Amino acid sequence: MSVQNKRNKKDPSQMRNGYTTGSCATAMTKAALQALVTGQVPNEVTIYLPIGQYATFKVEKSEAIEGSIMCETIKDAGDDPDATHKARIQSTVRFTDLPGIHLDGGVGVGRVTKPGLPIPVGEAAINPVPRKMITGVVQEIIDSYQIDKGIEVIISVPDGEEIAKKTLNARLGIIGGISILGTQGIVVPFSSSAYMASIVQSLNVAKEAGCDHVVITTGGRSEKFAMKQYPNLPEEAFIEMGDFVGFTLKHIARKKFSHVSLVGMMGKFSKIAQGVMMVHSKSAPISFSFLAGIAERIGVKEPLLSQILEANTASQVGEMLRENETFFEALCKNCCYYSLAHMNAEIKVSTTLYTMDGDCLGKAENIDKLDENDWYRG
């Protein structure tokens, strides 16, 4: 078992917070500029985080290069399974004759190539809060030492291009490396807010790319099935919503897309079919009486109804009824009805159910009105 997997199995209440790439970049900017001004590289620096607390970062490495100073730290993501854990975050600072503070990305920091993100196309993927943090520490030192020259700051992540392959950056139009992120300055293990922020960003990019039809899935496997089902849609149209069904649907309604397709498997979609909009395994159990109710409604008889009630998993129910397309169509319609009701918007909703192996169990397409006679409430 890897160290990373061991970290992930801790009790959530015992998990250790980490720091964002934005905090690391800010700290190393402060260290590099202090070294440039004083001629002495500090062993560590302390910065004030947006969350309202101080944090101290160790300078792991420094280098003087043609009138500039580079300082590097190793990102500590705490107990979060973050792709950037242990990444080398660098800031290189130098004086310039051009007045003001000039911030850019270097090696391993991506460039924005698509609209819809909080950074304009063409600029380095350094998000607004980290930009404010970095320029803030630079301005503090300018004021403290009465510096009358311009300051250039280049943030780099030597392994950033490789790390970015583990993220959705390319789909969002961030090319060449990772993003410098963080709104609070800290990384909370398994934080919902970070995942929800990525959903919103993905929807913004889809809208700006001209997508009118988006496809939402609970994970990578169901997304692969969805991409085969909708080969003519651009990659921006596919959004991994994870467990955040209701949150994603609400934002789709706000963005006024005209069509949304839900693609997934029995486990989580059985919950959506009964109106559950947060489908984490701990949020709500699968109701086998609900599944049996839908089955009975479309004509399934004993002893199969009793077997459904005694099932251990939704996938097991799916296997029991694998050849019954009417059952899966009814389940998919229920997903559509609850989604429509949740969004309360003019939009078409489709739902498709797959097995773990990628076989299509059933679908319901282009539902745009609630049908109380067809909508099973349990």
Side-chain angles (χ1 to χ4, degrees), residues 66-79:
E66 297 178 357
S68 66
I69 298 287
M70 183 280 291
C71 286
E72 173 183 293
T73 196
I74 306 298
K75 182 187 167 180
D76 178 7
D79 288 315

Side-chain angles (χ1 to χ4, degrees), residues 212-253:
D212 210 26
H213 178 186
V214 289
V215 182
I216 57 177
T217 63
T218 52
R221 183 178 300 196
S222 51
E223 185 177 76
K224 286 179 183 177
F225 303 154
M227 285 180 165
K228 287 182 180 178
Q229 182 176 342
Y230 297 103
N232 296 325
L233 291 180
E235 66 174 1
E236 292 91 347
F238 297 88
I239 315 291
E240 283 190 34
M241 63 180 169
D243 298 324
F244 303 99
V245 182
F247 175 85
T248 306
L249 289 170
K250 284 289 190 186
H251 278 274
I252 285 169

Side-chain angles (χ1 to χ4, degrees), residues 13 29 48 81 153 178 232 240 268 271 290 316 324 347:
S13 65
T29 299
Y48 190 68
V153 180
I178 66 166
N232 296 325
E240 283 190 34
K268 297 192 175 189
K271 295 182 181 182
F290 172 83
Q316 189 179 352
N324 193 324
I347 186 170

Side-chain angles (χ1 to χ4, degrees), residues 235-309:
E235 66 174 1
E236 292 91 347
F238 297 88
I239 315 291
E240 283 190 34
M241 63 180 169
D243 298 324
F244 303 99
V245 182
F247 175 85
T248 306
L249 289 170
K250 284 289 190 186
H251 278 274
I252 285 169
R254 284 177 192 147
K255 286 303 218 180
K256 298 185 177 178
F257 290 96
S258 67
H259 190 180
V260 57
S261 294
L262 293 80
V263 176
M265 288 166 272
M266 276 293 292
K268 297 192 175 189
F269 273 45
S270 292
K271 295 182 181 182
I272 300 171
Q274 66 187 78
V276 176
M277 291 291 146
M278 163 50 80
V279 294
H280 190 277
S281 58
K282 294 180 180 178
S283 65
I286 290 165
S287 172
F288 294 99
S289 62
F290 172 83
L291 293 176
I294 285 190
E296 184 176 25
R297 203 161 181 253
I298 57 96
V300 174
K301 307 292 185 185
E302 293 288 3
L304 191 49
L305 289 176
S306 293
Q307 291 171 9
I308 292 171
L309 288 169

Side-chain angles (χ1 to χ4, degrees), residues 47-356:
I47 62 170
Y48 190 68
L49 304 177
I51 198 172
Q53 64 190 42
Y54 288 95
T56 299
F57 296 79
K58 184 180 179 182
V59 178
E60 299 285 352
K61 177 183 174 183
S62 64
E63 190 174 350
I65 316 163
E66 297 178 357
S68 66
I69 298 287
M70 183 280 291
C71 286
E72 173 183 293
T73 196
I74 306 298
K75 182 187 167 180
D76 178 7
D79 288 315
D80 192 67
D82 190 317
T84 58
H85 181 61
K86 293 191 178 298
R88 296 155 57 202
I89 311 294
Q90 300 177 343
S91 180
T92 303
V93 176
R94 71 180 180 93
F95 293 128
T96 174
D97 293 331
L98 187 64
I101 302 168
H102 311 282
L103 174 62
D104 204 354
V107 172
V109 173
R111 290 265 155 199
V112 176
T113 65
K114 295 178 183 178
L117 296 171
I119 302 299
V121 170
E123 292 195 15
I126 304 172
N127 269 23
V129 172
R131 282 176 182 267
K132 186 176 180 181
M133 291 170 69
I134 293 166
T135 56
V137 296
V138 172
Q139 192 60 54
E140 285 176 15
I141 295 175
I142 288 173
D143 295 341
S144 295
Y145 290 92
Q146 298 296 300
I147 299 170
D148 60 0
K149 296 179 180 179
I151 308 288
E152 179 188 80
V153 180
I154 305 294
I155 306 301
S156 302
V157 183
D159 302 315
E161 193 162 2
E162 194 62 30
I163 295 169
K165 293 176 183 177
K166 303 173 186 176
T167 73
L168 292 174
N169 274 15
R171 184 177 302 179
L172 293 174
I174 299 169
I175 304 301
I178 66 166
S179 305
I180 304 300
L181 301 171
T183 55
Q184 296 184 314
I186 63 170
V187 175
V188 178
F190 300 94
S191 168
S192 296
S193 60
Y195 199 101
M196 289 189 287
S198 73
I199 292 170
V200 174
Q201 277 198 342
S202 297
L203 289 171
N204 288 343
V205 169
K207 193 67 176 179
E208 291 293 332
C211 299
D212 210 26
H213 178 186
V214 289
V215 182
I216 57 177
T217 63
T218 52
R221 183 178 300 196
S222 51
E223 185 177 76
K224 286 179 183 177
F225 303 154
M227 285 180 165
K228 287 182 180 178
Q229 182 176 342
Y230 297 103
N232 296 325
L233 291 180
E235 66 174 1
E236 292 91 347
F238 297 88
I239 315 291
E240 283 190 34
M241 63 180 169
D243 298 324
F244 303 99
V245 182
F247 175 85
T248 306
L249 289 170
K250 284 289 190 186
H251 278 274
I252 285 169
R254 284 177 192 147
K255 286 303 218 180
K256 298 185 177 178
F257 290 96
S258 67
H259 190 180
V260 57
S261 294
L262 293 80
V263 176
M265 288 166 272
M266 276 293 292
K268 297 192 175 189
F269 273 45
S270 292
K271 295 182 181 182
I272 300 171
Q274 66 187 78
V276 176
M277 291 291 146
M278 163 50 80
V279 294
H280 190 277
S281 58
K282 294 180 180 178
S283 65
I286 290 165
S287 172
F288 294 99
S289 62
F290 172 83
L291 293 176
I294 285 190
E296 184 176 25
R297 203 161 181 253
I298 57 96
V300 174
K301 307 292 185 185
E302 293 288 3
L304 191 49
L305 289 176
S306 293
Q307 291 171 9
I308 292 171
L309 288 169
E310 294 169 5
N312 292 317
T313 66
S315 295
Q316 189 179 352
V317 176
E319 285 300 315
M320 292 175 185
L321 296 164
R322 189 157 184 157
E323 304 306 319
N324 193 324
E325 290 184 15
T326 307
F327 171 79
F328 294 109
E329 181 184 358
L331 203 63
C332 289
K333 280 185 176 180
N334 241 48
C335 290
C336 293
Y337 292 141
Y338 273 114
S339 296
L340 265 177
H342 191 75
M343 288 185 286
N344 190 27
E346 291 187 11
I347 186 170
K348 291 180 181 177
V349 184
S350 299
T351 300
T352 308
L353 271 171
Y354 284 93
T355 66
M356 295 288 283

Side-chain angles (χ1 to χ4, degrees), residues 3 24 42 100 180 206:
V3 173
C24 295
I180 304 300

